[in-house]
Amino acid sequence: MAPVDAPADLIAPPRPAPVPAAARLAYVLAHFGQAYADVPAGAIGPAGSGAPVEVADRTGGFFSQTHPQPGAPNWRDWHGQRVPFFFDDDARPLLTLTPGRAEIAADIISAAFYLLSGWQEYFSTERDAHGRFPYAASVQARYGFVALPAVNYYFDVLKTALAHATGRALPLRRGPGGAPFAACITHDVDSLHGGWGTAARHRLRQGQLPQLLKLLWRRARRRPGPWDNLELVQAETARYGAPSTFFILGDARPAPNGVPNADYDARAPAFRARLGRLAAAGAEIASHGSYGTAHDAARVAGERAALGPPAPRGNRFHYLCWGPARTPGALAEAGVGYDSTLGFAEHYGFRHSYCRPFFPFDFERGRAAGFLEIPLNVMDATLHHPKYLRLAPNELLPALAPMLAEIEKFGGVATVLWHNQNFDPANAANGPRQFHEIMGWLHGHGAAFRTGSEIWAEWPAAQGPGGF
Ligand SMILES: [Zn+2]
């Protein structure tokens, strides 16, 4: 059942909005040019165009109708990796290389547009109780490739064809400062005052009676509780030279359907001073758009303004709420520089099958939205939750490592969400130990740790009017 404040367009089918071939090609090539340096203009075109690189047109009218999913993908081998190619019913080899020319048999332009634009979410009518597009309804779930960034592989195919046809090297743009990739460590702050019961039960189970008495004394004296720990979160993250990006809820009132927002007052002067100290120590303060605002530019703008001045550059919606029809337009209208909502709550991986920041497609306006999306790859709650995955404590990093390795391979950004309450040692399932295992992997593989704003500032084309 939909919550009472879910915007109607998250549930009802949106109006058809066919996207012309030229707009699809421009959207895909703009992102290709952000991923690889030295891409020449005009070198890629459809079959029969005479361009040095010709890509087969296998849309079959798909983009002038409203089905959320195309036919099943054709799985091909690409340098030892099985990759799903949509819009590919061809038995020919993927690449045909002749002197000065290349032909690509799969329609990787259409497949890249389909996945990167989020077409499946815009045209699907499936929504969960929070108005979200469910992982179970996705092509990633249906064909089993959520941890594979298929669009990055399509771009690798395109780069290979283009390098052959033009003789240019087309190097991959990697992480800042020569790092192989970047990582963005984020913390959504939903609760500061909870956690007393969890901590008390943990100490009781461990037989830590003095610590239990101390906890009860602190509770009685109204001292900060176990989750009131933002400075600890920052210090634990800084052990790897990583800055924290905190997403702060601007609204303490529950949503009309009872979903809680903050249990703290972000406007209280003492709390504002505390956020200022965290920022002075290197953290970024961003806005955690409250429940029910993902379609509402005025409320997004109001919550951002309340955390300023200056208003924070970044946003992530509470509960990862996102309505593909109206959220891109609302975020752009509210003046957000970047968003980091787009991951599946139910599964780690790549919701848009892409491991680098990108500009979401605004179907209402038929073009890229003017803010950068830093896609979310892994949320602590996803890994161990009755409704999501139920990985054992020692299964988390082995499950995530192949996905993280894909981000490293393509010079992307590994975005991690670890809530402040999961820095409490009472959590042995997806708590501080598992956080440190993930951080150890990222640090050991040479990630450049950045805040969301730093990634925005260093990303090509992020500051231009309208994105690019
Ligand atoms: Zn939240």
Side-chain angles (χ1 to χ4, degrees):
M1 196 186 83
V4 292
D5 63 343
D9 74 342
L10 301 190
I11 309 301
R15 66 172 182 268
V19 183
R24 301 195 303 268
L25 182 66
Y27 181 72
V28 169
L29 292 187
H31 286 94
F32 180 64
Q34 290 163 27
Y36 293 92
D38 203 22
V39 173
I44 299 163
S49 65
V53 173
E54 291 190 351
V55 183
D57 176 358
R58 302 201 171 276
T59 54
F62 179 81
F63 294 104
S64 54
Q65 53 78 59
T66 60
H67 292 313
Q69 295 192 3
N74 183 23
W75 289 82
R76 292 182 185 260
D77 180 85
W78 179 250
H79 297 317
Q81 175 65 54
R82 298 283 291 162
V83 178
F85 287 83
F86 292 93
F87 306 101
D88 176 21
D89 52 6
D90 203 313
R92 285 184 300 162
L94 184 58
L95 284 181
T96 303
L97 304 177
T98 52
R101 294 184 51 78
E103 288 176 46
I104 302 173
D107 189 348
I108 56 173
I109 299 295
S110 292
F113 177 80
Y114 171 73
L115 291 167
L116 196 57
S117 70
W119 177 285
Q120 63 173 347
E121 305 193 20
Y122 185 77
F123 288 104
S124 170
T125 55
E126 302 256 6
R127 295 293 184 261
D128 72 5
H130 300 296
R132 305 177 299 191
F133 176 69
Y135 168 65
S138 70
V139 286
Q140 287 89 350
R142 184 171 181 181
Y143 301 111
F145 68 101
V146 71
L148 192 78
V151 175
N152 295 91
Y153 281 92
Y154 302 157
F155 282 3
D156 195 36
V157 172
L158 195 56
K159 188 266 299 185
T160 304
L162 196 57
H164 166 82
T166 65
R168 299 189 184 201
L170 304 169
L172 179 66
R173 298 182 202 267
R174 288 197 171 271
F181 67 117
C184 183
I185 309 305
T186 70
H187 320 284
D188 294 0
V189 182
D190 299 337
S191 173
L192 287 176
H193 301 307
W196 293 100
T198 310
R201 283 190 294 277
H202 173 72
R203 284 161 178 69
L204 199 58
R205 270 199 309 273
Q206 302 286 316
Q208 301 170 339
L209 289 183
Q211 290 90 336
L212 177 62
L213 289 172
K214 189 175 168 194
L215 186 79
L216 297 174
W217 181 86
R218 291 180 67 83
R219 180 85 164 112
R221 301 293 298 262
R222 297 180 176 274
R223 295 290 167 87
W227 295 354
D228 196 351
N229 60 354
L230 302 185
E231 294 74 16
L232 171 80
V233 169
Q234 183 174 39
E236 292 296 298
T237 306
R239 282 167 54 182
Y240 306 87
S244 287
T245 300
F246 290 102
F247 288 93
I248 304 295
L249 276 163
D251 199 336
R253 298 167 300 178
N257 66 346
V259 168
N261 282 308
D263 74 349
Y264 55 89
D265 179 4
R267 300 170 197 233
F271 185 67
R272 297 293 300 277
R274 187 178 179 191
L275 294 182
R277 289 192 293 275
L278 292 166
E284 178 183 355
I285 307 302
S287 178
H288 196 32
S290 65
Y291 191 91
T293 65
H295 62 292
D296 191 331
R299 288 188 64 191
V300 172
E303 293 187 7
R304 292 180 68 233
L307 286 167
R313 183 169 289 136
N315 174 77
R316 174 183 291 141
F317 287 109
H318 191 36
Y319 278 61
L320 306 184
C321 289
W322 186 274
R326 288 169 64 190
T327 303
L331 286 173
E333 190 182 332
V336 164
Y338 76 87
D339 174 84
S340 186
T341 301
L342 288 175
F344 286 116
E346 306 97 318
H347 208 293
Y348 57 85
F350 309 105
R351 179 158 162 175
H352 288 239
S353 299
Y354 196 55
C355 70
R356 299 168 65 95
F358 65 98
F359 292 87
F361 196 78
D362 183 344
F363 281 93
E364 299 293 295
R365 291 163 185 79
R367 57 177 165 78
F371 63 91
L372 191 67
E373 177 67 25
I374 304 173
L376 174 61
N377 303 118
V378 56
M379 172 170 78
D380 47 11
T382 301
L383 303 168
H384 183 80
H385 188 285
K387 284 197 291 190
Y388 302 149
L389 303 177
R390 299 182 202 193
L391 299 173
N394 60 359
E395 290 175 344
L396 266 62
L397 183 60
L400 296 175
M403 185 263 297
L404 298 173
E406 295 290 339
I407 299 171
E408 179 185 12
K409 181 176 185 177
F410 292 110
V413 177
T415 307
V416 175
L417 161 51
W418 219 260
H419 289 80
N420 57 299
Q421 63 260 39
N422 292 329
F423 284 81
D424 182 350
N427 181 350
N430 50 354
R433 189 167 74 80
Q434 290 74 26
F435 174 76
H436 286 297
E437 287 174 358
I438 295 169
M439 292 299 284
W441 193 100
L442 294 170
H443 186 261
H445 286 248
F449 290 102
R450 293 291 188 272
T451 64
S453 267
E454 288 167 347
I455 287 164
W456 175 87
E458 292 168 350
W459 203 253
Q463 291 83 44
F468 50 79

